[in-house]
Amino acid sequence: MPKPIYILNGPNLNLLGLRQPEIYGKQTLDDVAEACAGLAEDLGLTIRFHQSNHEGAVIDWIHQARNEGAGIIINPGAFTHTSVAILDALNAFDAPVLEVHISNVHKREAFRHHSYVSLRAEGVIAGFGTEGYLLALRRMKTLVGA
Ligand code: DQA
């Protein structure tokens, strides 16, 4: 069994489709999870899709991926801009990491322009809406070569 790709989502992303739809769109996180599962199947990948509002839970999944994951796609939400702890956890993970933002963070407030996670990520996708997760999954397929 090939190892799964972890798709991790940080705080407030459980409200996708409800919160600020003009910025984040109308798809729910369940819609995103379903679309990712469908594409993963086409690509011959398996995924584990998670969301938490708690930094420690995100870190625990990253630790779990050290043994069980082939790669990590992460939208850390606001932890992107604050969390050295998530960066440290990703630095302890030896396979590809891709960072996704639904919105174009560079077009927004200055505090969203800096990402700790970008210091580790092989690539960053921002501003492609929820489609960014699917683009990241396609890139992950290339990177893991499964
Ligand atoms: C986000 C951008 C972050 O700045 C914000 O805090 C989020 C979502 C995005 O997907 O565009 O919660 O990561």
Side-chain angles (χ1 to χ4, degrees):
M1 244 324 239
K3 289 180 176 179
I5 306 302
Y6 279 61
I7 304 181
L8 303 179
N9 294 278
N12 299 306
L13 288 161
N14 55 312
L15 295 181
L16 205 59
L18 300 173
R19 106 169 143 141
Q20 298 183 281
E22 68 287 0
I23 295 177
Y24 298 113
K26 290 189 176 156
Q27 276 209 320
T28 66
L29 199 64
D30 282 349
D31 294 333
V32 176
E34 204 179 307
C36 286
L39 177 62
E41 200 178 335
D42 293 348
L43 295 174
L45 298 172
T46 56
I47 60 167
R48 288 199 192 150
F49 195 99
H50 297 294
Q51 186 276 331
S52 179
N53 295 322
H54 304 278
E55 192 174 12
V58 176
I59 291 167
D60 287 345
W61 284 318
I62 295 169
H63 290 178
Q64 194 182 92
R66 277 165 51 77
N67 294 320
E68 295 176 23
I72 295 176
I73 294 171
I74 183 165
N75 181 350
F79 292 152
T80 307
H81 320 297
T82 62
S83 182
V84 175
I86 288 178
L87 171 63
D88 284 350
L90 290 170
N91 278 334
F93 175 74
D94 283 336
V97 174
L98 298 175
E99 178 180 351
V100 171
H101 300 288
I102 297 164
S103 65
N104 180 359
V105 283
H106 300 290
K107 204 178 163 188
R108 301 180 65 193
E109 303 95 323
F111 65 82
R112 294 185 205 275
H113 297 176
H114 176 261
S115 164
Y116 285 101
V117 170
S118 292
L119 292 167
R120 167 63 182 87
E122 269 68 36
V124 182
I125 291 173
F128 287 79
T130 50
E131 208 181 327
Y133 288 84
L134 303 178
L135 297 172
L137 210 42
R138 288 187 188 279
R139 177 65 183 156
M140 188 58 84
K141 168 76 179 174
T142 305
L143 292 175
V144 301

